[in-house]
Amino acid sequence: MSISNPSEEHVMLREMVRDWVKENVEPQAFEHDKEEKFNLELLKSMGEMGLLGISAPEEYGGAGLDATACTIVHEELSASDPGFALAYLAHAILFVNNLSFNGNDEQKARILPKVCSGEWIGAMAMSEPDAGTDVLGLSTTAKQTEDGNWCINGRKMWITNGCLDESGTPADVVWVYAKTGTDERGRVQMSTFIVEAGMPGYSVGQKIYDKTGMRASNTAELVFDNCIVPASNLVGNTGESLIHMMCNLEAERLTLAAMSLGLSRRCLDEMNRYATERTAFKSQIRDFGQVQRHIGDSWAKYRAMRAYIYGTAASMTLGKPGHRLDSDGVKLFAATAAKEIADSAIQVMGGYGYVGEYHVERLWRDSKLMEIGGGTVESHQKNITKDLSKTPDSINQY
Ligand SMILES: Cc1cc2nc3c(=O)[nH]c(=O)nc-3n(C[C@H](O)[C@H](O)[C@H](O)COP(=O)(O)OP(=O)(O)OC[C@H]3O[C@@H](n4cnc5c(N)ncnc54)[C@H](O)[C@@H]3O)c2cc1C
């Protein structure tokens, strides 16, 4: 047992996912990145292994596992195909985990079995064309109509799984944040709605092409044009989004950090092997001090990130807030370290590292997203500094 495999159950999960990834994810990763194509059927097939509802309650078809288990699955997927792992994260963490901890019994009983089995694929829509980091600057609105339904108007941008194929089929179900008013102090009130495919006024604006990386996941703009949503699809009470949004963001940041970890592990493996196989000036290139610096520094960063991520996972209770400092911390550290490790891998592998066939070029492009998605590195720096001013004792705790 170790910090990243704290129980027999975690070891078995890791072995199962690692074997499945080797057989099913690795063979398709290169091609799906190259063609900017999302492998919908592969994602759906993860329902059979209970991975689509990894943290969802077992009574609704989920696996009921913890934050460490979520971390393991994201690490293993991302060691092969970070683009596919991002699509998984959008479904399993941004939608399913959110609904599992914040939906009411009726919503969970009706929707969770479908998203846990893979019958439905989910997404989460927070970002907008004109508002990303500034979440409360959103302009999508929801107004209650006389019959009790809600009418949503606005656009959401950069939504992973927002469309499912090349013909613009929208996600089966989307967790949507919209402005429903302002409170007595003039602060924006945000509410959460579950929008389902087929609801009038919900459509895909465009699939976003030509991304730097994560090209095996679909990213889309979603349009809500007088979109009518029944009152029963409001999550919690009006104005309550911030509470569950912030809590789910902690799980999102931990699992994005886990993706950086998997990606880093693969880059290290590739550069280490290459440094043995490649010779120059009658030596293995691993004998050169400058190559040793790339490998040695990458190893230390990888090990530090591993300990911090699994340490944070062990202390995180899904569905309960209170882990912002470290969920920001792991994502900040892992995102930057992963980009540096992927860069070192290309450098060690020279011209071969620079082309797609040798994998690290794709991983290097994918790594950049980690500094933007789920919060930019600047937002993590801002949050950490703010939290440390409120709880300076965090620094000296043991
Ligand atoms: C491939 C991809 C997938 C995504 N998937 C999803 C998804 O599924 N759902 C979803 O809702 N969103 C998704 N996003 C959106 C992502 O979360 C946002 O891109 C991110 O939050 C940044 O927002 P922005 O792009 O609007 O940049 P902005 O917020 O406009 O930031 C621009 C720059 O200004 C800086 N900045 C902004 N405010 C501050 C500040 N106060 N202090 C210092 N610097 C600041 C930022 O750090 C950044 O460098 C995805 C994005 C990408 C690229």
Side-chain angles (χ1 to χ4, degrees):
M1 298 304 141
S2 65
I3 189 168
S4 52
N5 299 302
S7 73
E8 273 298 334
E9 200 179 20
H10 291 109
V11 174
M12 280 162 59
L13 175 71
R14 188 183 292 282
E15 284 172 355
M16 177 187 81
V17 180
R18 195 173 283 199
D19 290 347
W20 183 81
V21 164
K22 196 172 166 199
E23 202 172 313
N24 299 282
V25 180
E26 184 65 20
Q28 54 84 66
F30 175 76
E31 182 195 323
H32 281 77
D33 169 76
K34 204 176 171 69
E35 294 176 6
E36 285 189 76
K37 245 174 107 183
F38 164 50
N39 197 336
L40 175 62
E41 289 314 313
L42 190 61
L43 183 64
K44 282 176 175 269
S45 75
M46 291 178 79
E48 286 160 27
M49 294 183 292
L51 297 175
L52 292 181
I54 182 148
S55 60
E58 289 174 81
E59 60 184 302
Y60 299 119
L65 296 177
D66 61 6
T68 300
C70 296
T71 305
I72 289 172
V73 177
H74 286 86
E75 181 198 332
E76 294 301 328
L77 289 175
S78 195
S80 178
D81 188 345
F84 180 72
L86 186 69
Y88 171 74
L89 184 148
H91 176 85
I93 302 298
L94 305 190
F95 186 85
V96 182
N97 187 67
N98 230 329
L99 178 62
S100 299
F101 291 104
N102 299 303
N104 63 31
D105 289 347
E106 182 278 323
Q107 292 163 346
K108 288 193 279 192
R110 190 165 58 81
I111 299 173
L112 278 180
K114 291 191 170 81
V115 288
C116 290
S117 69
E119 183 185 341
W120 280 8
I121 294 298
M124 183 281 294
M126 178 169 75
S127 309
E128 299 191 352
D130 297 318
T133 307
D134 182 10
V135 175
L136 291 177
L138 82 173
S139 53
T140 296
T141 57
K143 292 200 169 68
Q144 197 156 26
T145 54
E146 279 177 7
D147 55 7
N149 292 333
W150 289 87
C151 178
I152 305 181
N153 276 291
R155 285 170 179 269
K156 293 290 181 180
M157 193 66 176
W158 315 114
I159 309 308
T160 305
N161 296 346
C163 73
L164 298 178
D165 54 28
E166 302 310 298
S167 11
T169 305
D172 298 299
V173 64
V174 194
W175 189 266
V176 179
Y177 295 106
K179 185 175 166 180
T180 45
T182 47
D183 66 12
E184 62 289 349
R185 290 160 64 187
R187 290 178 306 194
V188 167
Q189 273 201 319
M190 212 169 27
S191 306
T192 307
F193 300 89
I194 300 170
V195 178
E196 298 167 37
M199 288 184 172
Y202 160 50
S203 64
V204 171
Q206 57 171 323
K207 169 176 167 172
I208 297 162
Y209 286 95
D210 210 14
K211 299 188 302 247
T212 303
M214 300 297 182
R215 291 161 80 102
S217 66
N218 275 357
T219 312
E221 180 184 27
L222 298 182
V223 178
F224 301 91
D225 182 11
N226 287 324
C227 172
I228 302 299
V229 177
S232 56
N233 280 26
L234 169 72
V235 179
N237 297 313
T238 52
E240 277 187 352
S241 291
L242 266 189
I243 303 166
H244 55 248
M245 174 193 274
M246 290 308 158
C247 182
N248 214 68
L249 264 174
E250 293 176 1
E252 175 179 358
R253 288 173 178 159
L254 174 71
T255 45
L256 281 166
M259 283 182 55
S260 293
L261 179 66
L263 185 160
S264 301
R265 191 180 91 206
R266 178 64 177 274
C267 287
L268 194 52
D269 195 29
E270 297 290 340
M271 80 171 106
N272 184 48
R273 190 169 47 249
Y274 188 88
T276 300
E277 290 166 359
R278 184 72 172 178
T279 55
F281 301 95
K282 299 196 174 85
S283 295
Q284 291 179 325
I285 62 167
R286 64 186 312 116
D287 291 340
F288 303 138
Q290 286 154 305
V291 169
Q292 289 164 3
R293 184 168 182 178
H294 283 297
I295 296 174
D297 286 1
S298 295
W299 170 252
K301 284 176 200 162
Y302 164 69
R303 294 296 291 172
M305 129 174 38
R306 191 167 195 89
Y308 190 16
I309 289 171
Y310 280 102
T312 300
S315 67
M316 185 181 282
T317 305
L318 293 172
K320 291 218 164 62
H323 310 90
R324 188 168 93 153
L325 189 55
D326 283 324
S327 59
D328 274 283
V330 287
K331 175 148 177 296
L332 172 64
F333 180 70
T336 309
K339 197 181 70 176
E340 290 165 0
I341 293 171
D343 198 66
S344 280
I346 293 187
Q347 199 62 25
V348 167
M349 294 170 71
Y352 293 97
Y354 196 65
V355 293
E357 195 186 333
Y358 289 80
H359 310 297
V360 295
E361 175 268 351
R362 169 170 56 89
L363 300 174
W364 180 69
R365 287 187 283 106
D366 291 343
S367 73
K368 181 60 194 170
L369 190 266
M370 305 303 184
E371 293 192 331
I372 299 170
T376 62
V377 288
E378 292 79 12
S379 72
H380 303 318
Q381 288 157 348
K382 176 169 71 72
N383 292 345
I384 290 168
T385 308
K386 193 170 165 190
D387 287 356
L388 286 180
S389 83
K390 285 192 211 147
T391 58
D393 287 349
S394 309
I395 297 169
N396 293 314
Q397 76 186 9
Y398 55 89

